[in-house]
Amino acid sequence: MKTTTTTGPSAKANAVTLVRKDAEKKVEVHVNGELFTAYLYPTTIDKPVLYPIKSVNGNDISRGYPLAPRAGERVDHPHHIGVWFNYGDVNGLDFWNNSDAIPADKKSAYGSIIHTGILKAKDGKDKAELEVAMDWVTSTGEVLLKEKTTFVFSVDGNKRIIDRITTLTAQSKEVAMTDNKEGMLGIRVARELEHPSNKPEIFTDASGIATAVPSLNNEGVTGMYRSSAGKEGDDVWGTRGTWVNLSGEIKGEKIDLAIVDHPSNPGYPTYWHARGYGLFAANTLGQKALSDGKDELNFKIAPGKSATFRYRIVVNSDGDVTDQTMNKEFESFSKVK
């Protein structure tokens, strides 16, 4: 596969280019020669991720820790890296909370997602496509699911879009994705996009492991969630909706970061696992914990069968995103097959 090298000021307007750096285990995504994000697949973080995510003005909207810590940011939940997709209970294994922070004698309870290949990399005038393959494996190397994901990176003025279309195929045995609050598409945002924190809190994962999240200096912290259901702030957590938009400001740049659900997703419309401390996640399958027991979905994929999940991430620097804007985004994404 040919490596793309189009960079710098000579790149045509809205040129979206992919730069493979196989030795560094990553594929960079450039917009007009400037880094937008990168697909990373090192063996040290137990899943491939998109990291960092940058705005039109080049500001980091994803948290730096643990890959590149920045002053003043939180250092909790080391498995929250950039943008990722996985789940907290897959045949009894925790894929969500796995990281290099898990002791070796505990690793057998966790699963990992292993990058197995780049299937396609195609540049374009306003968009680029990257298709990759991964295996969801147990600690002994048994493959439970084969994943094929297509990322579509596109640009429209001051708006940057990432579409992620992921197909999971069960292998020799049925795969049970038992109802769990830890899932599925997650983003860990920069400190500036968090909600201002007034008190320390402790969050417990599905295995009962507690993580303390301290209260920090709120200077420059401006984040606010708003959902398609009209919920705002912390009230978004545990509710359903077709989209959630997180608005804030970084170094004078007004930023809107949104996740958009797709009508074809299992469990649609998604529940939102969106926390003020910076975890922004859409969880279509984890309904019991998020609904306080009102709903429950124990999703299964039979041997040889597949399930497809579609999500859109929108980074907008226009500063005027409204409910109507987001409803149109949802309508547009709903047409994506």
Side-chain angles (χ1 to χ4, degrees), residues 108-255:
S108 61
Y110 295 82
S112 300
I113 302 177
I114 309 298
H115 167 89
T116 58
I118 296 172
L119 306 179
K120 182 173 75 171
K122 181 181 178 182
D123 296 342
K125 178 183 177 183
D126 298 305
K127 70 178 182 179
E129 292 187 24
L130 177 66
E131 187 176 287
V132 293
M134 312 176 206
D135 286 345
W136 293 45
V137 303
T138 69
S139 62
T140 60
E142 179 187 4
V143 179
L144 300 179
L145 293 163
K146 282 194 171 292
E147 173 180 336
K148 185 174 78 171
T149 287
T150 299
F151 294 102
V152 181
F153 306 98
S154 59
V155 180
D156 180 8
N158 285 329
K159 182 170 68 175
R160 295 178 172 184
I161 297 173
I162 303 169
D163 287 351
R164 177 176 184 139
I165 302 171
T166 294
T167 297
L168 302 177
T169 302
Q171 297 304 289
S172 60
K173 63 175 65 171
E174 178 182 78
V175 172
M177 303 180 79
T178 304
D179 198 304
N180 191 285
K181 74 181 179 70
E182 312 286 15
M184 293 190 65
L185 180 81
I187 307 174
R188 186 60 192 260
V189 303
R191 175 68 179 143
E192 294 92 334
L193 296 181
E194 295 177 14
H195 288 175
S197 57
N198 299 314
K199 62 183 186 302
E201 297 187 70
I202 295 176
F203 294 92
T204 304
D205 68 21
S207 300
I209 299 174
T211 299
V213 179
S215 178
L216 299 176
N217 184 343
N218 288 324
E219 184 177 354
V221 179
T222 61
M224 177 58 66
Y225 290 117
R226 181 170 175 82
S227 78
S228 62
K231 302 292 185 179
E232 291 194 332
D234 291 329
D235 290 340
V236 168
W237 190 90
T239 62
R240 292 182 115 147
T242 56
W243 54 261
V244 166
N245 184 54
L246 174 61
S247 60
E249 186 173 317
I250 302 179
K251 298 178 182 177
E253 180 185 14
K254 293 186 182 301
I255 294 171

Side-chain angles (χ1 to χ4, degrees), residues 51-66:
Y51 174 88
I53 307 294
K54 289 183 173 288
S55 69
V56 169
N57 289 355
N59 287 312
D60 287 298
I61 64 173
S62 51
R63 181 178 69 164
Y65 175 84

Side-chain angles (χ1 to χ4, degrees), residues 21 91 93 189 207 209 214-215 235 246 273 282 297 313 316 320:
K21 297 187 174 181
N91 282 11
L93 298 176
V189 303
S207 300
I209 299 174
S215 178
D235 290 340
L246 174 61
H273 188 19
L297 176 60
I313 296 168
N316 197 314
D320 60 356

Side-chain angles (χ1 to χ4, degrees), residues 71-82:
E73 69 180 9
R74 301 185 190 274
V75 292
D76 56 81
H77 298 88
H79 50 279
H80 291 175
I81 302 173

